[in-house]
Amino acid sequence: MRTVRRLLLPFYMMLGACMPVQNTETATRAAAVPVQAASTLPPMKSFSVPRPAPSVASNADIARDFLDLSFMLESGRALPVFTRFEGPISVRVTGAPPASLGPDLTRLLHRLRTEAGIDIALTGAAQANITLQAVTREEIRRALPSAACFVVPNVTSLAEYRSLRRTRQVSWSQLRSRETLAIFLPNDASPQEVRDCLHEELAQAIGPLNDLYRLPDSVFNDDNVHTVLTGFDMLVLRTYYDPALRTGMTRAEVADRLPAILARLNPAGQGITPRRLSTTPRAWIEAVQTALGPGANAAERRAAATKALQVATAMGWTDHRRAFSHYAMGRLLQATDPASAQDNFVLAQRFFGPGPDTALHRAYVASQLAAYAISAGRAEDALYLLTPHLDTAARHENAALLATLMMLRAEALELAGHVTEGRKVRVDSLGWARYGFGSDWAVRAKLREVGLLNPARRRQGAL
């Protein structure tokens, strides 16, 4: 079972990036920014053709990950049997959906059919296997505080969930077959936040219930770097719905069938050497949650971040979890010790490494390092840092990150004397910012924050 999800919004200079909170038995996502109805900014942009990268993991690792994702809740509780929908899956939309939900849902269902081979389709009928109910953020929070979206088995509405919330009927750990589920989405959040909720919660509604920090290129990871289903995720879901599996199987029965399934679905994974990453200890998870989540003061956060680094070092990690430990420490040191924060971001970039499965992670860190470069007046360094990651953000359909990188690039260009080009890039960023951040005020606030990194603008005191 997934914990309450965090929102890793990609402005990463001085704002909080990752917000873990306490475990629950309901899959949720953290709250989003409200979006206003009208806009005076350029038209909103959206992504068209998906460009997911294929999985680069070995089939041995994928089999292990599949079992841990499918037979365990994030709390650590084991699930006794495998569950999925058997037969075609119908999806309906109720409530008051935002305009962006329809196109994004259509694209996601098409991807699930073509990439994961799942028989899933939208229906206008009064009943469906999965109900997507679009309600206000306040309604969702009254049902589950701190959540912005969540999925529940055996209900079809938020009112029904509220009446059953303390019963076994809506407990994932009691589920033995999947027939009816409901996903509750905010209708007053940014388009990207609604879409991210849609991807995460629909993936859980039809597939695995757990999250694993050891997965670098997956939405099934509590670091929430990936928010759109990846090539790895689609392979997991295709495996989940392979004819060789069925509801009611035990972990041992599924494990027996996985090697043949993966050899057939992912022949490239047969020749890749397994990494066999170690299990993530609870001590590290809890330290990260304390460092970046709510409820702790500055000293407690710093102590928790230090502990996370100590655990990562003691475990001998050199993977993305070690990198994320440095990233978390850098985030916490930004306001009090910028030099040490920058050192930690450099270390994070180093441990994320050059592989394709951590490209998006490196884009996040690049935004931090570029911000330092711009603030120090090093325009060429900032451009060097930013340029490789613009396509990465676009390929992963992260409009908020793409807009932020473009805004940073605009400041670096103007700082380097390319004023006209910089202004053009800034204007081009606004359409993506509208999808990523939603409201005009949020977009303009982002522009001001990025703009004030520029020493010239800081001297002027405003944009």
Side-chain angles (χ1 to χ4, degrees), residues 139-438:
E139 289 178 275
I140 291 175
R141 287 178 179 178
R142 282 202 298 267
L144 261 185
S146 301
C149 52
F150 60 101
V151 58
V152 178
N154 301 320
V155 299
T156 61
S157 70
L158 195 58
E160 187 178 3
Y161 167 68
R162 284 195 293 262
S163 68
L164 297 171
R165 62 184 304 177
R166 292 180 175 85
T167 69
R168 294 164 59 92
Q169 186 171 336
V170 294
S171 170
W172 284 103
S173 62
Q174 301 299 318
L175 193 68
R176 296 298 179 269
S177 66
R178 301 195 199 191
E179 298 174 4
T180 303
L181 298 100
I183 297 171
F184 307 112
L185 301 173
N187 57 18
D188 52 358
S190 74
Q192 179 166 319
E193 174 64 8
V194 177
R195 181 210 61 190
D196 293 352
C197 279
L198 180 63
H199 276 245
E200 295 183 23
E201 305 311 330
L202 188 55
Q204 182 166 37
I206 63 177
L209 300 174
N210 194 13
D211 287 319
L212 297 171
Y213 273 105
R214 71 172 182 259
L215 302 179
D217 58 342
S218 174
V219 300
F220 299 110
N221 186 322
D222 275 339
D223 65 14
N224 209 24
V225 170
H226 289 277
T227 54
V228 170
L229 290 170
T230 66
F232 173 90
D233 297 328
M234 288 297 182
L235 175 59
V236 167
L237 290 172
R238 181 176 284 274
T239 304
Y240 213 86
Y241 281 82
D242 190 89
L245 302 181
R246 65 179 184 275
T247 291
M249 283 184 166
T250 66
R251 182 179 179 120
E253 289 172 331
V254 172
D256 286 343
R257 290 161 175 77
L258 280 179
I261 294 172
L262 290 171
R264 173 166 35 85
L265 298 181
N266 188 45
Q270 292 294 96
I272 299 175
T273 302
R275 298 182 67 187
R276 295 189 174 91
L277 296 181
S278 61
T279 300
T280 308
R282 291 302 310 176
W284 186 86
I285 295 172
E286 291 168 2
V288 168
Q289 291 177 341
T290 301
L292 299 176
N297 60 38
E300 291 168 337
R301 292 177 191 275
R302 180 83 65 85
T306 300
K307 182 177 180 179
L309 266 175
Q310 290 172 340
V311 172
T313 303
M315 293 291 294
W317 289 342
T318 57
D319 56 49
H320 58 282
R321 293 170 295 180
R322 173 69 177 272
F324 192 74
S325 303
H326 285 290
Y327 184 80
M329 180 62 80
R331 294 299 322 288
L332 293 175
L333 292 174
Q334 281 178 304
T336 58
D337 191 348
S340 294
Q342 187 173 11
D343 289 343
N344 274 280
F345 289 135
V346 170
L347 287 169
Q349 198 76 308
R350 180 184 305 167
F351 282 109
F352 278 134
D357 55 350
T358 53
L360 189 57
H361 302 71
R362 296 193 299 276
Y364 283 125
V365 181
S367 69
Q368 296 280 5
L369 295 174
Y372 281 104
I374 292 169
S375 184
R378 304 195 317 271
E380 296 301 327
D381 288 348
L383 292 171
Y384 174 81
L385 287 164
L386 293 167
T387 299
H389 301 291
L390 294 168
D391 184 67
T392 297
R395 179 161 49 83
H396 289 89
E397 301 188 22
N398 192 323
L401 175 58
L402 178 59
T404 300
L405 294 172
M406 293 176 72
M407 291 177 189
L408 288 165
R409 180 173 172 80
E411 294 302 327
L413 285 167
E414 291 193 8
L415 189 60
H418 306 295
V419 177
T420 301
E421 185 181 356
R423 289 175 178 170
K424 181 180 184 300
V425 171
R426 185 179 296 107
V427 171
D428 287 345
S429 76
L430 298 179
W432 295 115
R434 286 195 60 199
Y435 185 88
F437 300 114

